[in-house]
Amino acid sequence: MTISDSWNCYFMKRSVVIFVLSIVVAFGLWFRLSGISQNHSFWDDEAYTSSVARDIVADPKNSFGIIKTSLLGYQPLNILILAFSFKLFGASEWTARMPTVVFGTLGIIFAYLVGKKLSNDYGGLLSAFVYSFSQLNLAHATQAKPYASLETLILMIAYVMILAEEKKPKLIHHLSLLIFLTAAALMHRIAIMYWLAYGVFTVFHYRSELVKFLKKPYGIIFSIAGLLFIGFCLNGFKEIGNLFLPYTNGRIFLLFNNTTYLRDLFWRQYGFVTLPAIFGLIISLRRKKATVAGLTAWIVLILFMWNFRSYSRNVRYLMPFFGVLLVFFGVFWGQMAEKFFGKKAWIACLLVASVLYLGGYKIIRKPNVYYNPNADFYGDVQIADYKTMYAEIERKFPDLDDIALFNDIIDTEKWYLKRYSNAYFKKTTGNTAPTINPVNKIYYYHTLSQFLAEKAKYKKGLLIVEDWESILPEEIKQYAKKNMKREMRVEGLPQAKGDNWPLEVYSWNDK
């Protein structure tokens, strides 16, 4: 074969790979856009960050103060991205979810790039395929929350680490890593753990240079100062403290044990991904030792934190790990196909993709208007139709500004209503003294007696009840059901098709 023939063959192969990847990305974007097409109701977390972003657009001069007082800088970069989207397209559920769709689609490309670097083109394409059409990925890439973005960012970090490992040290690689790591930490505080991956990567890949650098006095001083600066700017010391600080249950290190839930999710439900991914990670150590070592250290940490330090057991906090898992799944099959099929490796990877698609297990085969985030882990997201409930409240009570309103938390009313509640009520396991809401300076109360005392201050009012085990104290909920008039009940979000989280509104009128 001549050089010209070899070049033509290579060019044709690259063209086919790019064409297939483009189709996967295009369909992945289509599926994600379909999932936000009906402007369905926000759930609590979506509503809060979106309402803060809307406040910034309305009052840009006070943007820093708005973020600072919004739960003390909760997801600042995510809020600023939402605000930018609102500035361009107006504030709506669709425009709030659009940035996540973009990040989620970008993640498909980086799933391919990382998969290709750790295996081959076909392993990369398989990684992109499962990443694109995964039920869990589609569910979180169609919410106005940062978890799909964090998933993409860890893949971007992994890709740049691979590039830095392949070539001589370049400043652009490490500047890019610092930017991505900082962006991720500002997107959500759980991403402060990404720095462990970078730290382990640096130790493995530059250990001889580090030893020489740290032997010099200025090296130690510079390193300590740099770590202190980064930790202070990203609030990292608080997150590190979360690894060791005791909890209210008196335990010091192993606060909880969520092993049953972790095993159910990644073995019983996703064992077909987990087992190949583990082998994919192990065999990838030969190709990119420093990068895979860094990712492994981060995986151990995030699983430890979720399993033993997190009371909430929310799957969304594991989304970055899930994205990496899908990539290593593709890496395994890509490497196995290359080993056993050689130049016909594409046939094996195509067969795996076909079996997954035709089987339809954990893979979405056609675009939907809603992808349920509770499909893998029930109760991860409280899918209630707040949008309909608040619209009905405003329709049924045109004098809403003149009557009292009681709620449990501020999140959804901040987006859907033009006013705040007069009081909030939430469960507590400790001190029952009233506490102040840092956002609007209205009090939280915790007991039925406090509820009755506040209720007595108003002749007319409404109480919003989430009819599940919610933040609202159960004794207040039961009092309302027995002693107050039920004005309405909204069973659930229509798009969720039976995964109902009912909302009720009760009233009192002491004439």
Side-chain angles (χ1 to χ4, degrees):
M1 182 180 291
T2 65
I3 295 177
S4 177
D5 291 337
S6 298
W7 172 252
N8 289 336
C9 183
Y10 172 80
F11 181 77
M12 181 174 292
K13 178 184 175 182
R14 299 308 307 158
S15 299
V16 171
V17 168
I18 292 172
F19 175 72
V20 173
L21 178 62
S22 299
I23 291 177
V24 172
V25 172
F27 273 84
L29 175 60
W30 176 30
F31 277 46
R32 284 157 175 77
L33 288 174
S34 178
I36 67 172
S37 60
Q38 292 193 356
N39 270 349
H40 60 268
S41 175
F42 282 143
W43 58 287
D44 284 328
D45 288 6
E46 288 182 297
Y48 184 78
T49 51
S50 298
S51 61
V52 174
R54 186 178 60 186
D55 290 346
I56 290 173
V57 174
D59 185 13
K61 292 183 179 179
N62 192 33
S63 58
F64 179 77
I66 292 171
I67 293 179
K68 185 177 180 181
T69 58
S70 300
L71 299 184
L72 304 178
Y74 177 66
Q75 301 179 17
L77 182 57
N78 182 45
I79 289 172
L80 288 175
I81 291 173
L82 290 172
F84 181 72
S85 182
F86 290 165
K87 185 69 175 178
L88 290 178
F89 307 110
S92 69
E93 291 90 354
W94 190 89
T95 51
R97 290 167 175 143
M98 191 62 197
T100 313
V101 166
V102 173
F103 266 100
T105 305
L106 186 63
I108 302 170
I109 299 173
F110 278 92
Y112 162 76
L113 291 173
V114 175
K116 175 182 179 296
K117 285 291 186 180
L118 295 176
S119 59
N120 48 53
D121 278 315
Y122 312 118
L125 288 174
L126 183 57
S127 298
F129 172 81
V130 293
Y131 193 98
S132 183
F133 303 112
S134 156
Q135 147 70 31
L136 198 57
N137 266 3
L138 284 166
H140 287 84
T142 49
Q143 298 177 21
K145 292 302 296 172
Y147 305 106
S149 304
L150 294 178
E151 194 178 16
T152 296
L153 281 165
I154 190 62
L155 293 181
M156 294 170 71
I157 290 165
Y159 180 65
V160 177
M161 288 195 301
I162 290 171
L163 293 180
E165 191 171 357
E166 285 182 341
K167 303 172 182 178
K168 292 181 180 180
K170 287 186 178 180
L171 183 61
I172 186 64
H173 292 146
H174 293 279
L175 285 177
S176 299
L177 285 168
L178 290 175
I179 290 171
F180 296 154
L181 287 162
T182 302
L186 293 175
M187 188 77 75
H188 196 290
R189 64 191 183 206
I190 64 170
I192 196 72
M193 291 185 283
Y194 289 7
W195 286 84
L196 177 64
Y198 180 50
V200 171
F201 164 80
T202 302
V203 170
F204 267 76
H205 193 53
Y206 302 108
R207 53 187 176 275
S208 57
E209 292 89 341
L210 281 173
V211 170
K212 294 178 183 178
F213 181 71
L214 293 175
K215 282 183 178 179
K216 301 174 182 178
Y218 70 80
I220 297 176
I221 296 172
F222 180 81
S223 299
I224 293 174
L227 290 173
L228 290 174
F229 177 76
I230 292 171
F232 175 78
C233 292
L234 301 178
N235 203 21
F237 299 118
K238 178 181 178 181
E239 296 307 313
I240 293 172
N242 286 338
L243 284 169
F244 306 104
L245 293 178
Y247 199 68
T248 54
N249 61 12
R251 297 177 182 175
I252 297 176
F253 195 60
L254 303 179
L255 306 183
F256 307 95
N257 186 356
N258 298 322
T259 304
T260 298
Y261 304 99
L262 194 72
R263 183 176 62 244
D264 177 79
L265 182 64
F266 288 107
W267 188 249
R268 190 179 70 82
Q269 296 194 62
Y270 282 95
F272 74 99
V273 171
T274 303
L275 190 59
I278 291 172
F279 288 119
L281 185 147
I282 293 171
I283 60 182
S284 295
L285 278 168
R286 297 199 310 266
R287 296 196 175 196
K288 298 292 181 289
K289 183 177 181 180
T291 300
V292 176
L295 289 174
T296 302
W298 164 74
I299 288 170
V300 171
L301 179 59
I302 192 174
L303 291 180
F304 171 81
M305 291 293 291
W306 192 91
N307 205 35
F308 298 113
R309 299 288 300 185
S310 174
Y311 74 94
S312 59
R313 305 193 302 267
N314 292 124
V315 174
R316 53 187 179 269
Y317 299 138
L318 290 174
M319 285 306 298
F321 166 63
F322 183 78
V324 171
L325 199 72
L326 292 176
V327 169
F328 278 111
F329 170 84
V331 167
F332 170 78
W333 287 111
Q335 291 210 32
M336 290 300 99
E338 185 176 61
K339 180 177 181 179
F340 293 106
F341 291 87
K343 294 182 179 181
K344 301 294 184 179
W346 66 271
I347 297 177
C349 289
L350 178 61
L351 180 62
V352 173
S354 299
V355 169
L356 290 175
Y357 181 80
L358 293 174
Y361 181 68
K362 305 298 185 182
I363 295 291
I364 300 297
R365 293 184 288 184
K366 61 180 181 179
N368 298 323
V369 296
Y370 187 78
Y371 306 103
N372 195 325
N374 294 333
D376 302 288
F377 199 79
Y378 183 73
D380 191 51
V381 173
Q382 296 74 47
I383 309 169
D385 193 358
Y386 292 101
K387 186 176 184 178
T388 296
M389 181 196 69
Y390 283 113
E392 185 65 14
I393 287 175
E394 290 186 324
R395 184 196 67 79
K396 193 170 183 178
F397 300 95
D399 59 341
L400 185 62
D401 289 340
D402 300 322
I403 62 179
L405 182 65
F406 291 173
N407 206 344
D408 56 1
I409 54 177
I410 190 177
D411 295 24
T412 51
E413 75 175 23
K414 184 171 171 58
W415 174 265
Y416 286 113
L417 282 184
K418 300 180 180 66
R419 56 159 292 184
Y420 289 125
S421 290
N422 298 84
Y424 300 99
F425 299 87
K426 67 176 183 177
K427 294 177 181 177
T428 179
T429 57
N431 186 8
T432 59
T435 54
I436 197 76
N437 186 321
V439 177
N440 58 11
K441 311 305 179 185
I442 296 173
Y443 278 97
Y444 281 114
Y445 300 94
H446 310 287
T447 66
L448 177 60
S449 60
Q450 291 169 344
F451 169 80
L452 295 174
E454 289 300 306
K455 175 178 174 290
K457 296 178 182 179
Y458 307 95
K459 291 184 177 181
K460 295 175 60 179
L462 300 174
L463 169 67
I464 296 172
V465 171
E466 295 166 332
D467 198 16
W468 63 85
E469 190 178 344
S470 64
I471 293 175
L472 184 70
E474 188 64 26
E475 58 180 358
I476 296 176
K477 186 186 303 183
Q478 294 305 319
Y479 173 87
K481 289 177 176 291
K482 295 176 183 178
N483 300 283
M484 297 169 66
K485 179 184 177 183
R486 192 175 81 177
E487 296 287 348
M488 67 184 73
R489 179 179 172 90
V490 179
E491 286 295 339
L493 190 69
Q495 292 86 351
K497 295 181 180 179
D499 186 7
N500 288 343
W501 295 76
L503 297 168
E504 295 181 335
V505 178
Y506 290 86
S507 68
W508 74 89
N509 190 350
D510 300 329
K511 297 180 180 179

Coordinates of all heavy atoms in Angstrom, one line a residue, residues 362-424:
K362 N -32.4 0.8 30.7 CA -31.6 2.0 31.1 C -31.2 2.9 30.0 O -30.4 3.8 30.1 CB -30.4 1.6 32.0 CG -30.7 0.7 33.2 CD -31.6 1.5 34.2 CE -31.8 0.6 35.4 NZ -32.7 1.3 36.4
I363 N -31.7 2.5 28.8 CA -31.4 3.3 27.6 C -32.7 3.8 27.0 O -33.6 3.1 26.9 CB -30.6 2.5 26.5 CG1 -29.3 2.0 27.0 CG2 -30.5 3.2 25.2 CD1 -28.2 3.2 27.2
I364 N -32.7 5.1 26.7 CA -33.9 5.7 26.1 C -33.8 5.6 24.6 O -32.8 6.0 24.0 CB -34.0 7.2 26.5 CG1 -34.1 7.4 28.0 CG2 -35.3 7.8 25.8 CD1 -35.4 6.7 28.6
R365 N -34.9 5.0 24.0 CA -34.8 4.7 22.5 C -35.6 5.7 21.7 O -35.4 5.7 20.5 CB -35.4 3.3 22.3 CG -34.6 2.2 22.9 CD -35.2 0.8 22.6 NE -36.4 0.5 23.3 CZ -37.0 -0.6 23.3 NH1 -36.5 -1.6 22.5 NH2 -38.1 -0.8 24.0
K366 N -36.4 6.6 22.3 CA -37.0 7.6 21.5 C -37.2 8.9 22.4 O -37.3 8.8 23.6 CB -38.4 7.2 21.0 CG -39.4 6.8 22.1 CD -40.7 6.3 21.5 CE -41.7 6.0 22.6 NZ -43.0 5.6 22.0
P367 N -37.2 10.0 21.8 CA -37.3 11.3 22.6 C -38.6 11.4 23.3 O -39.7 11.1 22.8 CB -37.1 12.4 21.5 CG -37.5 11.8 20.2 CD -37.1 10.3 20.3
N368 N -38.5 11.8 24.6 CA -39.7 12.0 25.4 C -39.8 13.5 25.9 O -38.8 14.2 25.8 CB -39.7 11.1 26.6 CG -39.7 9.6 26.2 OD1 -40.3 9.2 25.3 ND2 -38.9 8.8 27.0
V369 N -40.9 13.9 26.3 CA -41.1 15.2 26.8 C -40.7 15.3 28.3 O -40.6 16.4 28.9 CB -42.5 15.7 26.7 CG1 -42.9 15.9 25.2 CG2 -43.5 14.8 27.4
Y370 N -40.4 14.1 28.9 CA -40.0 14.1 30.3 C -39.2 12.8 30.6 O -39.6 11.7 30.2 CB -41.2 14.2 31.2 CG -40.8 14.3 32.7 CD1 -40.4 15.6 33.2 CD2 -40.9 13.2 33.6 CE1 -40.1 15.7 34.5 CE2 -40.5 13.4 34.9 CZ -40.1 14.6 35.4 OH -39.8 14.8 36.7
Y371 N -38.1 12.9 31.3 CA -37.3 11.8 31.7 C -37.3 11.8 33.2 O -36.7 12.7 33.8 CB -35.9 11.9 31.1 CG -35.8 12.0 29.6 CD1 -35.6 13.3 29.0 CD2 -36.1 11.0 28.7 CE1 -35.6 13.5 27.7 CE2 -36.1 11.1 27.4 CZ -35.8 12.4 26.8 OH -35.8 12.5 25.5
N372 N -37.8 10.7 33.8 CA -38.1 10.7 35.2 C -36.8 10.5 36.0 O -36.1 9.4 35.8 CB -39.1 9.6 35.6 CG -39.6 9.8 36.9 OD1 -39.0 10.2 37.9 ND2 -40.9 9.4 37.1
P373 N -36.4 11.4 36.8 CA -35.1 11.2 37.6 C -35.3 10.2 38.7 O -34.3 9.9 39.4 CB -34.9 12.6 38.2 CG -36.2 13.3 38.3 CD -37.0 12.7 37.1
N374 N -36.5 9.7 39.0 CA -36.8 8.7 40.0 C -36.8 7.3 39.4 O -37.1 6.4 40.2 CB -38.1 9.0 40.7 CG -38.0 10.3 41.6 OD1 -36.9 10.7 42.0 ND2 -39.1 11.0 41.8
A375 N -36.5 7.2 38.1 CA -36.6 5.9 37.5 C -35.7 4.8 38.1 O -36.0 3.6 38.1 CB -36.4 6.0 36.0
D376 N -34.5 5.3 38.6 CA -33.5 4.4 39.1 C -33.5 4.4 40.7 O -33.1 3.4 41.3 CB -32.1 4.8 38.7 CG -32.0 4.9 37.2 OD1 -32.0 3.8 36.6 OD2 -31.9 5.9 36.6
F377 N -34.0 5.4 41.3 CA -33.9 5.6 42.7 C -35.1 6.4 43.2 O -35.1 7.6 43.1 CB -32.6 6.2 43.1 CG -32.1 6.0 44.5 CD1 -31.5 4.8 44.9 CD2 -32.3 7.0 45.5 CE1 -31.1 4.6 46.2 CE2 -31.9 6.8 46.8 CZ -31.3 5.6 47.1
Y378 N -36.1 5.7 43.7 CA -37.4 6.4 44.0 C -37.2 7.5 45.0 O -36.5 7.3 46.1 CB -38.5 5.5 44.4 CG -39.8 6.2 44.6 CD1 -40.5 6.6 43.6 CD2 -40.2 6.4 45.9 CE1 -41.7 7.3 43.7 CE2 -41.4 7.1 46.1 CZ -42.1 7.5 45.0 OH -43.3 8.2 45.2
G379 N -37.8 8.7 44.8 CA -37.8 9.7 45.7 C -36.6 10.6 45.7 O -36.4 11.5 46.5
D380 N -35.7 10.4 44.7 CA -34.5 11.3 44.6 C -34.9 12.8 44.3 O -34.3 13.7 44.8 CB -33.6 10.8 43.4 CG -32.3 11.5 43.4 OD1 -31.6 11.5 44.5 OD2 -31.8 12.0 42.4
V381 N -36.0 12.9 43.5 CA -36.5 14.3 43.2 C -38.0 14.3 43.5 O -38.7 13.4 43.2 CB -36.3 14.7 41.8 CG1 -37.0 16.0 41.4 CG2 -34.8 14.8 41.5
Q382 N -38.5 15.3 44.2 CA -39.9 15.5 44.6 C -40.6 16.1 43.4 O -40.7 17.3 43.2 CB -40.0 16.3 45.8 CG -39.4 15.7 47.1 CD -37.9 15.8 47.1 OE1 -37.3 16.8 46.8 NE2 -37.2 14.7 47.4
I383 N -41.2 15.3 42.5 CA -41.8 15.7 41.3 C -43.2 16.2 41.5 O -44.2 15.5 41.3 CB -41.8 14.6 40.2 CG1 -40.4 14.0 40.1 CG2 -42.2 15.1 38.9 CD1 -40.4 12.7 39.3
A384 N -43.3 17.4 42.0 CA -44.7 18.0 42.3 C -45.0 19.1 41.3 O -44.1 19.8 40.8 CB -44.7 18.5 43.7
D385 N -46.2 19.3 41.0 CA -46.6 20.3 40.0 C -46.9 21.6 40.7 O -48.0 22.1 40.8 CB -47.9 19.8 39.3 CG -48.2 20.6 38.0 OD1 -47.4 21.6 37.8 OD2 -49.2 20.3 37.3
Y386 N -45.8 22.2 41.2 CA -45.9 23.5 41.8 C -46.5 24.6 40.9 O -47.2 25.5 41.3 CB -44.6 23.9 42.4 CG -44.0 23.1 43.5 CD1 -43.1 22.1 43.3 CD2 -44.5 23.3 44.8 CE1 -42.6 21.3 44.3 CE2 -44.0 22.5 45.8 CZ -43.0 21.5 45.6 OH -42.6 20.7 46.6
K387 N -46.1 24.5 39.7 CA -46.6 25.5 38.7 C -48.1 25.6 38.6 O -48.7 26.7 38.7 CB -46.0 25.1 37.3 CG -46.2 26.2 36.2 CD -45.5 25.8 35.0 CE -45.6 26.8 33.9 NZ -44.9 26.4 32.6
T388 N -48.7 24.4 38.5 CA -50.2 24.4 38.5 C -50.8 24.9 39.8 O -51.8 25.6 39.8 CB -50.7 23.0 38.1 OG1 -50.2 22.7 36.8 CG2 -52.2 22.9 38.2
M389 N -50.2 24.4 40.9 CA -50.8 24.8 42.2 C -50.7 26.3 42.4 O -51.7 26.9 42.8 CB -50.0 24.1 43.3 CG -50.6 24.4 44.7 SD -49.4 23.9 46.1 CE -48.1 25.2 45.8
Y390 N -49.6 26.9 42.2 CA -49.5 28.3 42.5 C -50.4 29.1 41.5 O -51.0 30.2 41.9 CB -48.0 28.8 42.4 CG -47.2 28.4 43.6 CD1 -46.2 27.5 43.5 CD2 -47.5 29.0 44.8 CE1 -45.4 27.2 44.6 CE2 -46.8 28.7 45.9 CZ -45.7 27.7 45.8 OH -45.0 27.4 46.9
A391 N -50.5 28.7 40.2 CA -51.4 29.4 39.3 C -52.8 29.3 39.8 O -53.6 30.2 39.7 CB -51.2 28.7 37.9
E392 N -53.2 28.1 40.3 CA -54.6 27.9 40.8 C -54.8 28.7 42.1 O -55.9 29.3 42.3 CB -54.8 26.4 41.1 CG -56.2 26.1 41.5 CD -57.2 26.3 40.4 OE1 -56.8 26.5 39.2 OE2 -58.4 26.3 40.7
I393 N -53.8 28.9 42.9 CA -53.9 29.7 44.1 C -54.2 31.2 43.7 O -55.1 31.8 44.2 CB -52.7 29.6 45.0 CG1 -52.6 28.3 45.7 CG2 -52.6 30.8 46.0 CD1 -51.3 28.1 46.5
E394 N -53.4 31.7 42.7 CA -53.6 33.1 42.3 C -55.0 33.2 41.6 O -55.6 34.3 41.7 CB -52.5 33.4 41.4 CG -51.1 33.6 42.1 CD -50.1 34.1 41.1 OE1 -50.1 33.7 39.9 OE2 -49.2 34.9 41.6
R395 N -55.4 32.2 40.9 CA -56.8 32.3 40.3 C -57.9 32.3 41.3 O -58.8 33.1 41.2 CB -56.9 31.2 39.3 CG -58.2 31.3 38.4 CD -58.5 29.9 37.8 NE -58.9 28.9 38.8 CZ -60.1 28.8 39.3 NH1 -61.1 29.7 39.1 NH2 -60.3 27.8 40.2
K396 N -57.8 31.4 42.2 CA -58.9 31.2 43.2 C -58.9 32.3 44.3 O -60.0 32.6 44.9 CB -58.8 29.8 43.8 CG -60.0 29.4 44.6 CD -59.9 27.9 45.0 CE -61.2 27.5 45.7 NZ -61.1 26.0 46.0
F397 N -57.8 32.9 44.6 CA -57.7 33.9 45.6 C -57.1 35.2 45.1 O -55.9 35.5 45.2 CB -56.8 33.4 46.8 CG -57.3 32.1 47.4 CD1 -56.9 30.9 47.0 CD2 -58.3 32.2 48.4 CE1 -57.4 29.7 47.6 CE2 -58.8 31.1 49.0 CZ -58.4 29.8 48.6
P398 N -57.9 36.0 44.4 CA -57.4 37.2 43.8 C -56.9 38.2 44.9 O -56.2 39.2 44.6 CB -58.6 37.8 43.0 CG -59.8 37.1 43.6 CD -59.3 35.7 44.1
D399 N -57.4 38.0 46.1 CA -57.0 38.9 47.2 C -55.8 38.3 48.0 O -55.6 38.5 49.2 CB -58.1 39.1 48.2 CG -58.7 37.8 48.8 OD1 -58.4 36.7 48.2 OD2 -59.3 37.8 49.9
L400 N -55.0 37.5 47.3 CA -53.9 36.8 48.0 C -52.9 37.7 48.8 O -52.5 37.3 49.8 CB -53.1 36.0 46.9 CG -52.0 35.1 47.4 CD1 -52.6 34.0 48.3 CD2 -51.2 34.4 46.3
D401 N -52.7 38.9 48.3 CA -51.8 39.8 49.0 C -52.4 40.3 50.3 O -51.7 40.8 51.2 CB -51.6 41.1 48.1 CG -50.7 40.7 46.9 OD1 -50.0 39.7 47.0 OD2 -50.7 41.5 46.0
D402 N -53.7 40.1 50.5 CA -54.3 40.5 51.8 C -54.6 39.4 52.8 O -55.2 39.7 53.8 CB -55.7 41.2 51.4 CG -55.5 42.4 50.5 OD1 -54.5 43.1 50.6 OD2 -56.4 42.5 49.6
I403 N -54.2 38.2 52.5 CA -54.4 37.1 53.4 C -53.0 36.5 53.7 O -52.0 36.6 53.0 CB -55.3 36.1 52.9 CG1 -54.8 35.4 51.6 CG2 -56.7 36.7 52.6 CD1 -55.7 34.3 51.0
A404 N -53.0 35.7 54.8 CA -51.7 35.1 55.3 C -51.4 33.9 54.4 O -52.3 33.2 53.9 CB -51.8 34.7 56.7
L405 N -50.1 33.6 54.3 CA -49.7 32.4 53.5 C -48.6 31.7 54.4 O -47.6 32.4 54.8 CB -49.2 32.8 52.2 CG -48.7 31.7 51.3 CD1 -49.9 30.8 50.9 CD2 -48.0 32.2 50.0
F406 N -48.8 30.5 54.6 CA -47.8 29.6 55.3 C -47.3 28.6 54.4 O -48.1 27.9 53.7 CB -48.5 29.0 56.6 CG -48.8 30.0 57.7 CD1 -49.5 29.5 58.8 CD2 -48.4 31.3 57.6 CE1 -49.9 30.4 59.8 CE2 -48.8 32.2 58.7 CZ -49.5 31.7 59.8
N407 N -46.0 28.3 54.5 CA -45.4 27.3 53.6 C -44.3 26.6 54.4 O -44.0 27.0 55.6 CB -44.8 28.0 52.4 CG -44.7 27.1 51.2 OD1 -44.8 25.9 51.3 ND2 -44.5 27.7 50.0
D408 N -43.6 25.6 53.8 CA -42.5 25.0 54.5 C -41.2 25.6 54.1 O -40.3 25.9 55.0 CB -42.5 23.5 54.3 CG -42.5 23.0 52.9 OD1 -42.5 23.9 52.0 OD2 -42.5 21.8 52.7
I409 N -40.9 25.8 52.8 CA -39.6 26.4 52.4 C -39.9 27.4 51.3 O -41.0 27.4 50.7 CB -38.6 25.4 51.9 CG1 -39.2 24.5 50.8 CG2 -38.0 24.6 53.1 CD1 -38.1 23.5 50.3
I410 N -39.0 28.2 51.0 CA -39.2 29.4 50.1 C -39.0 29.1 48.7 O -39.5 29.8 47.8 CB -38.1 30.5 50.5 CG1 -38.4 31.8 49.8 CG2 -36.7 30.0 50.2 CD1 -37.5 32.9 50.2
D411 N -38.4 27.9 48.3 CA -37.9 27.7 47.0 C -38.9 27.9 45.8 O -38.6 28.8 45.0 CB -37.3 26.3 46.9 CG -36.1 26.1 47.8 OD1 -36.0 26.8 48.8 OD2 -35.3 25.2 47.5
T412 N -40.0 27.2 45.8 CA -40.8 27.3 44.6 C -41.7 28.5 44.6 O -42.0 29.1 43.6 CB -41.8 26.1 44.6 OG1 -42.4 25.9 45.8 CG2 -41.0 24.8 44.2
E413 N -42.1 29.0 45.8 CA -42.9 30.2 45.9 C -42.1 31.4 45.4 O -42.6 32.4 44.8 CB -43.4 30.5 47.3 CG -42.4 31.0 48.3 CD -43.1 31.4 49.6 OE1 -44.1 30.9 49.9 OE2 -42.4 32.2 50.3
K414 N -40.7 31.4 45.6 CA -39.9 32.5 45.1 C -39.9 32.6 43.6 O -39.8 33.7 43.1 CB -38.5 32.3 45.6 CG -37.5 33.4 45.3 CD -36.2 33.2 46.0 CE -35.1 34.1 45.6 NZ -35.5 35.5 45.8
W415 N -40.1 31.5 42.9 CA -40.2 31.6 41.5 C -41.6 31.8 41.0 O -41.8 32.7 40.1 CB -39.7 30.3 40.9 CG -39.8 30.2 39.4 CD1 -40.9 29.6 38.7 CD2 -39.0 30.8 38.4 NE1 -40.7 29.8 37.3 CE2 -39.5 30.5 37.1 CE3 -37.8 31.5 38.4 CZ2 -38.9 30.9 35.9 CZ3 -37.2 31.9 37.2 CH2 -37.7 31.6 36.0
Y416 N -42.6 31.2 41.6 CA -44.0 31.2 41.0 C -44.9 32.2 41.6 O -46.0 32.5 41.0 CB -44.6 29.8 41.2 CG -44.0 28.7 40.2 CD1 -43.2 27.7 40.7 CD2 -44.2 28.9 38.9 CE1 -42.7 26.8 39.8 CE2 -43.7 28.0 38.0 CZ -42.9 26.9 38.4 OH -42.4 26.0 37.6
L417 N -44.6 32.8 42.7 CA -45.5 33.8 43.3 C -44.8 35.2 43.3 O -43.6 35.3 43.3 CB -45.8 33.4 44.8 CG -46.9 32.3 45.0 CD1 -47.2 32.2 46.5 CD2 -48.2 32.7 44.2
K418 N -45.6 36.2 43.4 CA -45.1 37.6 43.5 C -45.0 38.0 44.9 O -44.8 39.2 45.1 CB -46.1 38.5 42.7 CG -46.3 38.2 41.2 CD -47.2 39.1 40.6 CE -47.4 38.8 39.1 NZ -48.1 37.5 38.9
R419 N -45.1 37.1 45.9 CA -45.0 37.5 47.3 C -44.3 36.3 48.0 O -44.3 35.2 47.6 CB -46.3 37.8 47.9 CG -47.3 36.7 47.7 CD -48.5 36.8 48.7 NE -48.0 36.5 50.1 CZ -48.9 36.5 51.1 NH1 -50.2 36.7 50.9 NH2 -48.4 36.3 52.3
Y420 N -43.9 36.6 49.3 CA -43.4 35.6 50.2 C -44.5 35.2 51.2 O -45.5 35.9 51.4 CB -42.2 36.1 50.9 CG -40.9 36.3 50.1 CD1 -40.3 37.5 50.1 CD2 -40.4 35.2 49.4 CE1 -39.1 37.7 49.3 CE2 -39.2 35.4 48.6 CZ -38.6 36.6 48.6 OH -37.5 36.8 47.9
S421 N -44.2 34.1 51.8 CA -45.1 33.6 52.9 C -44.9 34.5 54.1 O -43.9 35.2 54.3 CB -44.8 32.2 53.3 OG -45.2 31.3 52.3
N422 N -45.9 34.5 55.0 CA -45.8 35.2 56.3 C -45.0 34.4 57.3 O -44.5 35.0 58.3 CB -47.2 35.5 56.8 CG -48.0 36.4 55.9 OD1 -48.6 35.9 55.0 ND2 -48.0 37.7 56.1
A423 N -44.9 33.1 57.2 CA -44.2 32.3 58.1 C -43.9 30.9 57.4 O -44.6 30.5 56.5 CB -44.9 32.0 59.4
Y424 N -42.8 30.3 57.8 CA -42.4 29.0 57.3 C -42.3 28.0 58.4 O -42.0 28.4 59.6 CB -41.0 29.1 56.6 CG -41.0 30.0 55.4 CD1 -40.5 31.3 55.5 CD2 -41.6 29.7 54.2 CE1 -40.5 32.2 54.5 CE2 -41.6 30.6 53.1 CZ -41.1 31.8 53.3 OH -41.1 32.7 52.2

